[in-house]
Amino acid sequence: MKKSDKNKSDKKNKLYLSDKQPLSNVGKLMLFLSYVVLFAWALLILLPLADMIVSAFNGRQEQYIMLNDHFQFSLKHFDYLFNQTLYLTWVKNTLFIATATAVLTLLIVSFTGFAYSRYRFKGRKASLMAIMLIQTIPVFAGITAYYTMQTVISSVAPFFSRQMMLILIYAGGGIASNTFILKGYIDSISTELDDAARIDGCSSMQVYRLIIMPIARPMLAIIALWSFIGPFMDYLLPKVLLTSPESYTLAAGLFTLINDFRVMNQPAFAAGGLLTAVPIVALFIVLQKQLVSGLSHGSVKG
């Protein structure tokens, strides 16, 4: 092979056709460290989850969760959960509170996000600032006010229970933050769609219902999902506001299995925690289409 042909071949092999520059040695080291951190983070999440699953189905576990090599498949912890606790009642209470919270939050936020994004009115900036400042106050700081409000309202309307009060607290806390999220999302939708719809004779409500909400469906799905998850994860407010075990949510009810030595059953607690994820996963599967492909349903023709 000639020397000139050899030089051309070497240059061709060294030619880098990608838009991205090749990684330097420092870049490769940082990439390796990133993978190490991600792998360690995944282990921190998966190992406790695996331990919970194994303990829930291990018949050799008794009052405490013991890490050992002895495993015997059994459903006795689930049997204890269903037959010797109020687990099904706690599930019913939590589903009621979570569903009502998600529906109420979604209904109000869809209107407030649309109004703050598309309309200019007196007090708009001041009210947005007030909503932002309210978020800095912990929800638990108003526990005395919640008690007083529930007592006053229930004296006039006896059907107003503390579970309903809990729904209003969750929804009220979610409305403020989610209004900002939805407003920002609707701001990204071109106002040309609104103008075109109004030229065709649509009212403001029809623009909201037929144009904006279908396009904002992915963000509404996220808001609904997080509003639904909140009551499943919260322990403090249900424990303080709900005074009887029959009215507990799952978080407050399952805690009774590990906070009292007389009725302690840690494997049953693990089984209950495992089942708690089922409604959340089911809702995620139902909303997955909206979360993944909802953005493709609306676009502005260029």
Side-chain angles (χ1 to χ4, degrees):
M1 181 181 293
K2 294 182 179 180
K3 187 175 181 180
S4 59
D5 294 337
K6 185 177 180 181
N7 291 335
K8 290 180 181 179
S9 177
D10 292 341
K11 290 180 179 179
K12 184 177 181 181
N13 292 333
K14 293 179 181 179
L15 185 63
Y16 194 78
L17 299 177
S18 175
D19 293 335
K20 296 182 179 179
Q21 293 299 317
L23 288 175
S24 62
N25 291 331
V26 176
K28 293 178 181 178
L29 177 62
M30 296 303 296
L31 181 63
F32 173 76
L33 293 177
S34 300
Y35 278 114
V36 170
V37 171
L38 291 175
F39 181 75
W41 187 264
L43 284 179
L44 289 175
I45 296 174
L46 294 177
L47 287 179
L49 181 61
D51 183 40
M52 182 178 71
I53 295 173
V54 171
S55 300
F57 291 99
N58 191 358
R60 291 184 177 271
Q61 303 281 13
E62 296 299 335
Q63 187 178 12
Y64 298 99
I65 293 178
M66 306 295 292
L67 299 178
N68 51 55
D69 298 331
H70 304 291
F71 178 83
Q72 179 182 358
F73 181 81
S74 174
L75 297 177
K76 71 174 187 178
H77 303 307
F78 293 91
D79 180 72
Y80 176 88
L81 198 65
F82 290 128
N83 297 322
Q84 300 188 44
T85 69
L86 297 173
Y87 182 78
L88 294 178
T89 302
W90 300 334
V91 170
K92 181 185 69 175
N93 295 339
T94 308
L95 287 176
F96 167 71
I97 293 174
T99 303
T101 299
V103 171
L104 186 60
T105 302
L106 204 59
L107 180 64
I108 298 177
V109 166
S110 65
F111 283 108
T112 56
F114 175 71
Y116 277 111
S117 175
R118 287 299 193 255
Y119 293 98
R120 301 295 180 266
F121 49 88
K122 187 176 181 180
R124 177 176 176 272
K125 290 185 179 180
S127 59
L128 281 173
M129 184 62 67
I131 291 174
M132 185 182 299
L133 293 176
I134 288 173
Q135 297 302 298
T136 63
I137 303 174
V139 176
F140 191 74
I143 192 66
T144 305
Y146 301 148
Y147 266 110
T148 305
M149 290 171 59
Q150 197 276 331
T151 303
V152 172
I153 297 174
S154 61
S155 64
V156 179
F159 62 87
F160 188 80
S161 63
R162 292 192 175 183
Q163 288 185 352
M164 293 182 181
M165 188 68 202
L166 199 60
I167 292 171
L168 293 181
I169 295 172
Y170 286 140
I175 286 169
S177 57
N178 288 322
T179 294
F180 275 99
I181 295 173
L182 188 61
K183 174 190 175 298
Y185 190 89
I186 297 177
D187 284 343
S188 66
I189 301 173
S190 174
T191 56
E192 294 177 7
L193 294 175
D194 304 32
D195 298 337
R198 288 193 171 91
I199 290 174
D200 290 337
C202 289
S203 63
S204 296
M205 180 58 69
Q206 288 174 320
V207 171
Y208 158 84
R209 183 171 58 87
L210 300 176
I211 306 298
I212 301 300
M213 288 302 104
I215 299 176
R217 200 175 294 170
M219 186 54 63
L220 294 175
I222 293 174
I223 292 172
L225 181 63
W226 284 111
S227 299
F228 185 83
I229 291 175
F232 281 85
M233 302 293 104
D234 186 35
Y235 162 75
L236 193 57
L237 280 176
K239 185 63 178 178
V240 173
L241 284 177
L242 306 177
T243 55
S244 64
E246 291 78 12
S247 62
Y248 281 170
T249 60
L250 274 170
L254 288 176
F255 188 71
T256 61
L257 298 177
I258 59 174
N259 71 333
D260 190 343
F261 178 78
R262 294 167 297 178
V263 295
M264 182 175 290
N265 193 324
Q266 292 180 351
F269 176 85
L274 188 63
L275 292 177
T276 300
V278 173
I280 299 174
V281 172
L283 182 63
F284 181 83
I285 293 174
V286 171
L287 296 177
Q288 187 176 18
K289 182 179 179 181
Q290 301 300 329
L291 296 173
V292 175
S293 63
L295 283 172
S296 64
H297 292 298
S299 60
V300 179
K301 187 176 181 180

